[in-house]
Amino acid sequence: MDRETVKVTLLAEALEMSRNSYVEYRTLEGLESFFDRSTAIELAKGLKDGFSLEIPLEVIMSNGFFRGYLAGLMLSDKTTSHVVKEQIAKILLEDLLRTLNEAEETSPGQEESFQSERDLKKRFYSLFEEKEREESGGLVRENLSLFRHFMNSKHYIPIFLWGNELTTFICESLDSEQFEGSLKEDLRKIVPSVLASYSMPDTMGSSVGLRLPSVESYLSSQFPILAMIRNRKLNLDQVTEFIKSLSHIIFGDILLAPVSMAAGGKTEEKARAKLIINKMFASMSDSELGILLNSSSYESRDGFLYEVVVCNDFSKLFDRLKNILKGIEKKASLFSNMAIASALLDKDEAIDCVVEYVAYLKTLEPTIAVVRSGLLLCMKYDLEDEEFFRKKFFEITDEKPDPPLIRSLLRDSFGDLDVIYENMADEYSHRTAIDGVISNLKSIKEPDFISFEKTGSLEYSRVPMYTLINSAISQNDIDHAFDTLVAYCKKYRFNFEFMNTLLFLSTRETDELKKLLHVEGELALNLLHDIVEKDKWASLIENEESPSNTELLQVIEHYVDSLIDRKDYREALRVIEEVFPLVGPDDYGYLLASKLLVCWRLNMFDELAKTMESNNHSGHPKALAVLALKNYAYRELDKAEQILLKILRQCPDFIKYLLEEEENDKKAFEKAERGNLRSQKRVDSLTLAEEFRGDWLNLRGGKEWLKRVQKVFEEVRDGSNLPKNLDSSSW
């Protein structure tokens, strides 16, 4: 999703929240004197029209979020003078530092943020050695504080709306003398928030169930570091020390900018980046490097190690590298060895050093990565261990060794760093100007599908308004939240996240909710129908990469569920078959399971078999439940039992709920919402059982047979004898 589209959506949410008094923010007086009034009016009008805001223009323009956002845009605008930018930056910096201090003072306690002490330790201490945990307490607390900054909309909205623009401008403008003053410490406080703004939506979602807007991309979150490295007014020692000071931040990829620049920058940029990398390696302890590399991406970690090996005498590195690799997660270290081997292949190193490294490789688990690395090194340096690695190679694969291909495979984890840098530099150079934002607002009201140039896949253009949803729920009044979300659902008709949240929140099936779902489901279906009519080969980008596609597909899945609930199976099948071709294998699991269920209930057994033959259900419990029914009905009892045992691995209470031997536990739902895995499995078991109870209990002898399967499951509950990889082709 376009970065500025996400940001203006967040701004519109902030304005709506201000109107409802859900959030209050300083008016940032003083900024308005730098604005061109006609531009401010045009932006305010675009927001008001594009998001149906019932707020007077003057009120919008006096809002602190609006002023901060517009001022942030001016910092990257080429028509604004540098003097004006410096004055704007001073106001925004003081305000953002104040906001971060407030976040620190008002953040919830540890017990409110996490389920238990164990969760805290697992997340924040996993990268630290036991012996170092006491002295690393301050570093851990800093990560925890950074995490908490994103828990309150009042604190994260400024970071998302103008934090990146502010820090990037400062990093590209300051000189060595300014850097040695208070600005260095100020940047040290705010740059981590910008770096973390890419990963924090996923982190918050998995940790505390809080959905945040995905404003920054993998690349745009790197702009401040990129600007600092490019800033020739700063010397390399200053830049290196600053990046090192952030090396313990586990929510941002600190190394990506320098490592990608070393691979893909211009000649002078490459030299500058390589020096920074080698200065960091030389001046950091092994434990510090372990923390840094563990919290970096594969590309950054392996690119870093590659540059270190290429630029230095390997005989002076190897002992350190072995120690550092011990501190890296096992699977990751295998890829890191491929990067080290690539570097040794790209340079001429003393043979005795390579012999020592190859001997080290022989002590590792002979994975394909290790074997490829050892084989190519032996071939290049004519080592006697070539036969050993060649033999291991043929034990793993029937293919003949292809040195050029293997060499390219060794670079698999970091080989695209030059392209990453090119894309990062391109995004940096083409940040959206104010007139571009205003122009985009004119078309934002109507939903559309955006095509990705590289793949041609489509993304739904309506950015989910998660912050607005959070604000309604945070009032701790479920009835008020329900009524508010119903109103938003009607107001923002094309934002399907409101409908999906209502269904999640609702404890009652009201006629209003059913009608709303019908309207929203048909609306989503018509949108997809339109794109199929334009291009029958159209496809949606994977949900994992697109929150808007996730919400669109989810509302259709809910709509299909509602059709099945009221036994309108033919209509459910029509909807599924219309949507199915647009969705990739990673996302069609639920629709496929629903189709199998519909085919079962319509006695369409040939279509059921055909669907299973041509699609991978990926073990979805709903699909497995249908397959178990089918096999039981055809008296293939062994197969049916195998399938049910696999369901029980995911939903251990499925049969108990199916037979109504287990009562509905409200506490389980509450614990599940807080992330308790055991309770979540109970809820999943109950949901699946309620859907299939009628199907199973209507089968002759089904009840008694289910009891026998439950007994088998309990006998092998340790999992040692449960089927793990069942061959679905025989079902």
Side-chain angles (χ1 to χ4, degrees):
M1 184 67 70
D2 176 71
R3 180 169 174 257
E4 288 304 329
T5 302
V6 183
K7 286 173 70 175
V8 295
T9 302
L10 177 58
L11 176 56
E13 293 176 83
L15 291 167
E16 177 70 23
M17 289 160 61
S18 298
R19 184 180 75 87
N20 291 334
S21 300
Y22 287 157
V23 65
E24 293 180 8
Y25 200 73
R26 296 176 289 278
T27 57
L28 294 179
E29 290 181 10
L31 284 178
E32 73 277 7
S33 63
F34 302 111
F35 298 158
D36 175 74
R37 183 166 172 80
S38 62
T39 300
I41 290 173
E42 203 171 352
L43 177 61
K45 192 173 186 305
L47 285 163
K48 181 177 172 66
D49 295 342
F51 294 97
S52 306
L53 298 175
E54 298 167 3
I55 310 172
L57 289 180
E58 290 296 334
V59 174
I60 292 176
M61 290 190 292
S62 65
N63 183 277
F65 292 124
F66 176 87
R67 288 176 174 174
Y69 173 70
L70 179 53
L73 283 177
M74 291 175 69
L75 292 177
S76 57
D77 189 80
K78 294 175 182 178
T79 64
T80 307
S81 73
H82 188 76
V83 173
V84 168
K85 287 181 179 180
E86 285 185 324
Q87 291 173 307
I88 288 173
K90 183 180 179 182
I91 295 172
L92 289 180
L93 178 60
E94 289 176 356
D95 178 77
L96 191 54
L97 289 170
R98 181 177 169 185
T99 297
L100 293 179
N101 287 334
E102 288 175 356
E104 188 66 30
E105 292 168 4
T106 60
S107 290
Q110 173 185 317
E111 66 284 353
E112 296 175 65
S113 302
F114 294 88
Q115 294 173 49
S116 65
E117 179 75 17
R118 185 175 59 182
D119 291 345
L120 175 69
K121 288 180 178 178
K122 183 179 179 182
R123 174 162 295 280
F124 292 109
Y125 284 92
S126 60
L127 300 179
F128 298 87
E129 292 291 335
E130 192 76 39
K131 61 184 179 182
E132 297 173 333
R133 288 186 177 179
E134 188 172 339
E135 56 262 40
S136 300
L139 306 182
V140 174
R141 281 193 295 274
E142 191 170 342
N143 277 299
L144 181 56
S145 294
L146 180 58
F147 178 87
R148 287 171 172 165
H149 289 173
F150 286 85
M151 294 189 72
N152 188 314
S153 60
K154 180 181 178 180
H155 302 144
Y156 72 67
I157 289 174
I159 294 170
F160 281 136
L161 287 184
W162 61 83
N164 195 327
E165 282 66 27
L166 172 63
T167 49
T168 299
F169 171 74
I170 295 173
C171 288
E172 67 187 7
S173 303
L174 82 171
D175 57 33
S176 291
E177 187 177 341
Q178 291 173 313
F179 189 75
E180 292 306 326
S182 61
L183 270 178
K184 176 181 172 181
E185 191 54 36
D186 291 340
L187 285 172
R188 177 66 183 72
K189 291 176 182 176
I190 62 176
V191 168
S193 295
V194 177
L195 286 166
S197 58
Y198 165 70
S199 63
M200 204 54 79
D202 281 342
T203 302
M204 279 292 175
S206 61
S207 299
V208 293
L210 184 66
R211 295 184 295 181
L212 300 184
S214 298
V215 174
E216 301 296 351
S217 71
Y218 182 44
L219 303 179
S220 66
S221 61
Q222 298 290 317
F223 287 170
I225 302 296
L226 175 64
M228 185 174 285
I229 298 172
R230 283 180 165 185
N231 186 347
R232 297 179 187 179
K233 291 176 285 186
L234 299 177
N235 65 58
L236 286 179
D237 286 336
Q238 289 176 315
V239 177
T240 302
E241 286 303 313
F242 183 80
I243 296 174
K244 276 173 52 180
S245 74
L246 306 178
S247 62
H248 61 284
I249 300 297
I250 66 174
F251 296 113
D253 195 350
I254 313 299
L255 288 175
L256 184 61
V259 168
S260 63
M261 184 185 285
K266 296 175 183 177
T267 303
E268 186 179 345
E269 289 179 331
K270 282 186 177 182
R272 195 170 171 86
K274 286 174 185 285
L275 280 169
I276 290 171
I277 289 168
N278 283 285
K279 281 176 178 288
M280 289 181 69
F281 183 81
S283 60
M284 294 176 72
S285 69
D286 292 354
S287 60
E288 287 174 328
L289 282 169
I291 294 167
L292 174 63
L293 295 174
N294 266 319
S295 56
S296 298
S297 64
Y298 274 45
E299 298 100 328
S300 298
R301 183 195 62 239
D302 295 343
F304 179 88
L305 292 172
Y306 172 85
E307 292 296 344
V308 167
V309 175
V310 162
C311 296
N312 294 279
D313 181 349
F314 193 68
S315 65
K316 298 177 181 178
L317 293 177
F318 187 41
D319 287 340
R320 273 203 81 191
L321 286 174
K322 280 193 293 186
N323 199 35
I324 291 166
L325 288 172
K326 286 179 184 176
I328 297 176
E329 189 268 324
K330 184 179 179 182
K331 183 180 177 182
S333 69
L334 297 176
F335 285 97
S336 295
N337 274 301
M338 290 167 66
I340 293 169
S342 291
L344 293 173
L345 290 167
D346 288 347
K347 63 185 289 195
D348 292 321
E349 190 59 72
I351 289 182
D352 57 341
C353 295
V354 181
V355 168
E356 189 180 0
Y357 179 64
V358 168
Y360 165 74
L361 289 178
K362 288 175 68 176
T363 67
L364 303 177
E365 181 185 349
T367 63
I368 189 64
V370 170
V371 172
R372 284 170 175 163
S373 301
L375 179 59
L376 251 62
L377 287 171
C378 289
M379 292 171 72
K380 174 179 176 176
Y381 289 93
D382 194 23
L383 304 181
E384 61 183 24
D385 281 323
E386 180 179 341
E387 189 57 36
F388 171 84
F389 285 104
R390 192 174 287 275
K391 182 180 177 182
K392 292 292 182 184
F393 186 87
F394 285 120
E395 287 176 3
I396 296 172
T397 176
D398 295 332
E399 298 176 8
K400 292 183 178 180
D402 181 343
L405 175 61
I406 294 176
R407 195 159 180 167
S408 69
L409 291 172
L410 291 182
R411 298 178 61 87
D412 189 52
S413 65
F414 68 99
D416 291 333
L417 279 168
D418 55 339
V419 178
I420 287 173
Y421 182 72
E422 182 183 338
N423 292 335
M424 186 190 301
D426 186 61
E427 277 195 35
Y428 182 85
S429 301
H430 296 93
R431 284 169 284 173
T432 308
I434 297 172
D435 56 350
V437 173
I438 293 171
S439 177
N440 290 342
L441 280 169
K442 293 177 181 177
S443 60
I444 207 164
K445 195 169 186 176
E446 292 301 319
D448 200 358
F449 285 89
I450 306 158
S451 178
F452 280 72
E453 290 182 11
K454 291 183 180 179
T455 62
S457 299
L458 301 173
E459 181 176 32
Y460 186 50
S461 67
R462 298 292 291 188
V463 178
M465 294 182 169
Y466 294 140
T467 301
L468 205 52
I469 291 173
N470 295 341
S471 71
I473 296 173
S474 66
Q475 305 306 306
N476 294 320
D477 183 338
I478 191 67
D479 291 328
H480 172 75
F482 186 85
D483 294 339
T484 301
L485 292 175
V486 166
Y488 285 146
C489 195
K490 293 174 180 178
K491 180 177 182 179
Y492 300 108
R493 294 175 55 242
F494 296 102
N495 284 75
F496 301 114
E497 63 275 9
F498 293 110
M499 186 72 249
N500 293 327
T501 306
L502 276 169
L503 293 169
F504 175 77
L505 283 180
S506 179
T507 56
R508 58 192 191 279
E509 280 198 18
T510 64
D511 289 338
E512 182 180 23
L513 202 58
K514 291 177 183 178
K515 288 176 183 176
L516 267 178
L517 178 56
H518 181 80
V519 170
E520 294 286 298
E522 283 296 319
L523 196 60
L525 193 62
N526 289 337
L527 288 169
L528 292 178
H529 179 76
D530 288 344
I531 65 171
V532 172
E533 284 203 331
K534 294 175 185 175
D535 179 8
K536 66 178 181 179
W537 304 112
S539 63
L540 297 174
I541 193 171
E542 291 179 4
N543 284 0
E544 187 177 24
E545 300 178 35
S546 172
S548 58
N549 280 11
T550 299
E551 299 297 341
L552 174 66
L553 187 60
Q554 198 171 88
V555 83
I556 289 176
E557 291 171 350
H558 286 313
Y559 182 42
V560 168
D561 282 344
S562 72
L563 293 171
I564 292 173
D565 286 344
R566 64 179 193 238
K567 297 182 171 50
D568 195 349
Y569 301 128
R570 296 288 178 187
E571 181 62 13
L573 187 60
R574 181 190 72 80
V575 172
I576 293 168
E577 291 184 337
E578 182 150 2
V579 176
F580 204 81
L582 293 165
V583 184
D586 289 337
D587 299 323
Y588 67 40
Y590 196 87
L591 287 176
L592 175 60
S594 296
K595 181 176 180 180
L596 295 177
L597 177 59
V598 168
C599 289
W600 166 261
R601 290 185 179 169
L602 289 174
N603 298 325
M604 297 172 61
F605 302 123
D606 289 343
E607 181 63 23
L608 192 155
K610 180 182 172 183
T611 301
M612 278 308 307
E613 187 178 327
S614 59
N615 296 283
N616 176 22
H617 61 78
S618 301
H620 193 290
K622 194 171 178 178
L624 291 174
V626 176
L627 293 175
L629 281 167
K630 170 183 170 258
N631 280 283
Y632 180 85
Y634 282 84
R635 311 313 290 173
E636 299 275 359
L637 300 185
D638 289 343
K639 291 179 182 177
E641 180 179 304
Q642 275 194 319
I643 297 166
L644 268 180
L645 289 174
K646 188 168 185 180
I647 293 173
L648 291 169
R649 290 178 67 87
Q650 301 176 62
C651 303
D653 300 302
F654 171 57
I655 291 178
K656 289 182 179 179
Y657 279 125
L658 205 60
L659 300 175
E660 298 184 286
E661 293 176 354
E662 196 86 4
E663 291 185 8
N664 187 356
D665 184 0
K666 289 183 180 180
K667 288 184 179 179
F669 281 88
E670 293 171 0
K671 289 180 180 179
E673 286 180 11
R674 295 197 297 270
N676 183 283
L677 184 59
R678 177 69 187 98
S679 296
Q680 184 60 60
K681 286 187 174 185
R682 286 177 66 84
V683 172
D684 291 343
S685 299
L686 175 62
T687 304
L688 192 66
E690 288 182 341
E691 181 144 32
F692 283 93
R693 185 175 291 115
D695 299 281
W696 273 106
L697 300 186
N698 285 334
L699 290 174
R700 182 166 51 89
K703 192 170 183 178
E704 294 306 314
W705 183 79
L706 285 170
K707 289 179 180 179
R708 287 199 296 272
V709 175
Q710 177 66 28
K711 187 176 180 181
V712 171
F713 174 70
E714 289 170 355
E715 288 173 354
V716 292
R717 201 177 182 90
D718 62 358
S720 57
N721 298 315
L722 290 179
K724 293 181 180 178
N725 297 306
L726 303 180
D727 180 11
S728 62
S729 63
S730 64
W731 297 347

